[in-house]
Every structure is written in structure tokens, then in C-alpha cells.
Amino acid sequence: MRQIAIIGSGPAGYYTAEAAQKQWGDDVHVDIFDCLPVPYGLIRFGVAPDHQSIKGVSRRYEATALADNVRFVGNVLVGRDVTIGELEELYDAVILATGAPHDRKAGLPGEDLANIFGSAAFVGWYNGHPNFAELEPDLGGGTAVVIGNGNVALDVVRILAKTRDEFHGSDIVSHAIDALDGSSIRKIVVLGRRGPHQIAMTPKELGELGHLTRATPRVDPADLPAESEDSTLEPGQRKSVTHLRQFAAIAEADRSAKPVEIEFDFFAAPKALIGNGAVEAVEVERTRLENDKAVGTGETYVVPASLVVVCIGYQTSPIPDVPFDDRAGRFANEEGRIRPGLYCVGWARRGPTGTIGTNRPDGFAIVEKVAADIGEGSGKPGAAGFDRLAEARKLAVVEFHDWQRIDEAEVRRAREGSPREKFVAIQDMIAAAGKG
Ligand code: NAP
């Protein structure tokens, strides 16, 4: 019997568990650890609350979670409650699937002014992550600046722009929908350091900005390359650029019908965040492209900003005693192998790129490597050994059936039109699990 520990219960974790089941059938036991009492990581805390169909993938993970030889070991923080070294002693393979939950810093002067948030914090706030539930962004000013031209920037822009009614059917948490309902933001500036052809936004998500109740996107036609150049783009990117062209063509009369404007500012690299206590403006340098890279032109200007959300990508959280690649922001690894018996998968292996589905082949690939390395397993104690350790340390482990009680309680307390009202405090989750 092989004993496998997977650290992290997001997409990479569950796809890896699914791959382990396919690889070894009943000849494996998988423990999936999570520092929170609730599973699914990015699906619960990263995917936008108004993208419920994407969140539906968790039903597939549930099928894996309910198998007899797979166990959810929630509310256990690796590095605090148990060390990596202890897990390596207990299990034939330890696979880090911890994702990339931390913001990459932009390294800008003034980044520590109030009302500037990284996307992990801001997204965590509206998705009810316990670490960010108390964020209290001030939405009382007039202009928000969102830095970055990726899908996370798009999520943040859309959430800032939507009306209460447009959140019908979403699981946005009450503290966020109430705050957004009272928002005074009337202009959202999206800063991209490169141009329309270089955006990292996918067409479906970008297209949504064209259908908002109270907001209209604005693109300066002068920023768009000649239409003939779109033929050089791959089809998805071409569709995204077509959306930008449609936004550039919106007539002023149609624009004025809606009170909120989403302005795309391309070739615009942030240089500094300016303010006195709280942020008031962003200093921006105009750029041009050289070999596809943004190069400053020396021309600068100032964009007023009462709120700034920096959406420039994520990094993995280091774990004591695990080699880390600081520059890449993920564990140092060779195609998923960190050292004998220790592996990484998903964003923790390759950095924060690709779709949720990209993690499935990643999970299957790492299990193939583990299979080649560990053979039949070496009789390690695995789950039973961890249980002894958990008992000795009095850890309040939350298992999958406990999570199902939390889940039911969240569904029961949902406001009208919402699938659930998430608990945002760990102690409330544990109480709902009946473990308080
Ligand atoms: P991303 O796709 O890597 O985009 C990051 C953006 O930040 C890029 O536009 C990048 O510009 C810009 N940037 C990086 N460093 C910068 C700096 N120092 N100054 C200014 N701009 C900077 O990252 P993401 O948006 O965080 O998304 C992460 C992953 O999750 C992606 O694979 C994304 O597609 C996925 N995701 C998908 C969905 C969805 O499908 N609905 C939703 C959310 C996230 P350059 O290109 O110039 O580097």
C-alpha cells in the first residue's frame, strides 16, 4: 500500500488525488491536507463569485474526495502543526499543491499607503477568505486604478463595476456586496504596461465588460494597432482584441447613459503610488514596445486614484526546509521533483499560469513520476502515523464529512438568490463542523 500526502486541496491537489486513484486503484491511500477547514482552494477563494459555472468543477473533486482511500485533512497547517520532514517520514510521497496564494509585489514607491491592495487580498476579501475578510477597502472615493492586463484584473474591474442585482446567483460574501453597493467609484482605470495585442485577458471574460448594467468600457482607438495586424494573433487573442475594438467604437451618446466608466490605459507603466496616508494618485510613465517589451519613454502623468488594486500575478508561499526559487516565486524543482519523496504540482511547480484544467495533466504527470520513484511503497505508516501525531498534538482535524456539515450550514444561511453564504471566520467554520 502506497501512502501519499498532498498538501493543498485546490484544483492541483484534487486532480493529483484523482490521478493517484487511477494509477493505483485501491493500492494507495491519499491524505489531502489544507490549512483551512474548507476544501477547494482557488475554486472557493480565487474564482470570481459571479462565475458559478467555473466553480461547478468542485463537484468533480467531491467525487474523488468521497472515495474510501482519499481523506481530507483540513485545518492543519504544514510548517506549524506538522513539519515537512515529519510528513516525509510518514508518507512514501509528499506532493506540494499549495498554489500561489501570495501577491507579487510591484516594488513601487508608495506601495504601503492605505487603500492599496494586491489582488490576492482584494479577491480574498470579496470571496470571503478568512485572512482577508477584515480588509475593509474604502470604496468612498471616485476613481479606482487596477494595475495589470490579466484575467484577475478583469475580475476585479467587473466586481467593482457590478450592481447588487448583477450579483444575483453569485456567492459573493455579504460584507463585500454591502460595501460594493455603497461604492462611490465612478471611474475604473485599467493600467497595462504594454498594448492591446499583449493583453493576457481571455475573450469570454473581456466580453463581459460590454454587458454591464451601469458601466461602459472605453478604449482609445489610437492605442489599437492597424486591424490588419490582428491576423498575426492566435484566434483567442484575436477575439479579445476584437472586443477592445468594439469598446473603442462605442458612441459617446451610449457611453453617457451609464454612470461608471472602465478606461483602458495601454502603454502605461506605474512608476509610483502617491498619497498622504492613503493613496491619492498613481504616477504613470508612457511606454512603447521594443521587441515586445515595454520600454519607458520618459513621459509621465498622474492618474487620480482613491483605491488601487495591483493585479500583476501571484507567488507560492515558501515552506520551511523546502528549496524555493525566489525569482520565479515557486518551489525549486525539476519537472515536479524537489528531492526524493518530495514533489510539487500545479502553480506551486510551474508558477501561476494556465487555466484550472491545466492542472489535470499536471496532476497525472506528477503521479507518473511518483509511481516510477516509489514502486510498491516501503511500508511507511502514512495516515495511521499522522493520526497518532495529530492526537498527540491535539490537532482539530476537519475531515470531508465535517466539511459537508459546513457546506450544508452555508447553503442553509444563503441570502435569497445566492447558492451559499460562506463562513469567513475559521472558528465559525469549525463550529459549523460540530468541532467547536
Ligand atoms: P497574468 O495572466 O500573468 O497577468 C498579469 C498581468 O500583470 C499582465 O498583464 C502583466 O503584463 C502585468 N504585469 C506584471 N508585472 C507588472 C508590473 N510590474 N507592472 C505592470 N504590469 C505588470 O496573471 P493573473 O491575471 O494574476 O492571472 C493568473 C492566472 O489565472 C492566469 O493564467 C489567468 O488566465 C488565470 N485566471 C483565469 C480566469 C478565468 O479564466 N476566468 C480568471 C482569473 C485568473 P505583461 O504581460 O506586460 O507582463
Side-chain angles (χ1 to χ4, degrees), residues 157 161 188-190 209 212 215-219 260-264:
V157 167
I188 305 167
V189 179
V190 190
L209 295 194
L212 297 173
T216 321
R218 177 189 288 276
V219 170
V260 177
E261 181 162 272
I262 300 165
E263 182 183 309
F264 284 85

Side-chain angles (χ1 to χ4, degrees), residues 124-428:
W125 171 71
Y126 62 65
N127 266 331
H129 192 294
N131 292 356
F132 305 111
E134 313 282 323
L135 203 68
E136 292 190 6
D138 180 355
L139 308 177
T143 305
V145 169
V146 175
I147 299 176
N149 268 183
N151 279 326
V152 171
L154 268 185
D155 281 346
V156 167
V157 167
R158 194 179 65 254
I159 298 296
L160 284 172
K162 276 193 165 181
T163 59
R164 182 177 275 274
D165 282 353
E166 286 171 291
F167 285 113
H168 187 87
S170 83
D171 66 351
I172 189 166
V173 289
S174 282
H175 66 234
I177 196 171
D178 289 344
L180 289 162
D181 205 23
S183 166
S184 311
I185 292 167
R186 292 293 173 265
K187 186 164 180 172
I188 305 167
V189 179
V190 190
L191 293 183
R193 63 180 170 180
R194 297 193 290 158
H197 272 197
Q198 288 76 33
I199 57 172
M201 298 166 168
T202 42
K204 183 178 159 290
E205 285 67 26
L206 187 54
E208 285 178 67
L209 295 194
H211 305 283
L212 297 173
T213 305
R214 66 169 180 185
T216 321
R218 177 189 288 276
V219 170
D220 182 347
D223 283 340
L224 290 161
E227 206 162 339
S228 57
E229 291 180 31
D230 291 1
S231 60
T232 60
L233 301 172
E234 57 87 21
Q237 190 74 344
R238 195 155 60 228
K239 271 195 203 155
S240 293
V241 172
T242 301
H243 283 304
L244 294 177
R245 292 191 184 284
Q246 286 161 352
F247 298 163
I250 296 173
E252 285 308 317
D254 295 334
R255 206 175 277 294
S256 58
K258 297 187 182 179
V260 177
E261 181 162 272
I262 300 165
E263 182 183 309
F264 284 85
D265 192 359
F266 291 110
F267 306 107
K271 296 300 289 176
L273 298 153
I274 304 164
N276 184 9
V279 69
E280 291 164 19
V282 183
E283 186 192 348
V284 178
E285 182 174 15
R286 188 56 74 212
T287 66
R288 60 187 158 75
L289 286 183
E290 256 180 36
N291 299 324
D292 224 29
K293 281 205 157 65
V295 179
T297 61
E299 178 197 340
T300 60
Y301 56 98
V302 167
V303 179
S306 52
L307 165 75
V308 173
V309 188
V310 184
C311 308
I312 62 166
Y314 296 124
Q315 55 186 354
T316 295
S317 215
I319 296 179
D321 304 325
V322 179
F324 196 75
D325 179 341
D326 281 315
R327 205 180 49 82
R330 53 175 161 70
F331 297 113
N333 73 92
E334 287 281 333
E335 293 185 0
R337 289 185 172 102
I338 298 176
R339 59 181 174 234
L342 185 63
Y343 305 81
C344 56
V345 67
W347 281 7
R349 175 183 80 77
R350 63 178 202 278
T353 57
T355 63
I356 290 163
T358 314
N359 293 300
R360 189 165 188 272
D362 221 35
F364 278 72
I366 202 67
V367 163
E368 260 181 38
K369 291 194 173 66
V370 173
D373 293 349
I374 69 170
E376 304 279 306
S378 56
K380 290 198 176 186
F386 175 76
D387 286 347
R388 283 192 288 276
L389 185 149
E391 207 183 315
R393 292 184 189 167
K394 301 196 172 16
L395 301 181
V397 174
V398 170
E399 295 197 18
F400 202 76
H401 55 90
D402 301 317
W403 147 247
Q404 287 176 309
R405 275 198 289 276
I406 302 173
D407 185 28
E408 283 162 16
E410 289 187 340
V411 171
R412 268 198 309 275
R413 64 194 219 120
R415 63 182 180 274
E416 208 198 323
S418 175
R420 69 177 62 243
E421 182 64 49
K422 291 176 188 169
F423 292 107
V424 300
I426 289 177
Q427 64 270 28
D428 293 342

Side-chain angles (χ1 to χ4, degrees), residues 7 62 78 116 306 328 330 335 354:
I7 320 303
E62 189 173 68
V78 174
I116 300 171
S306 52
R330 53 175 161 70
E335 293 185 0

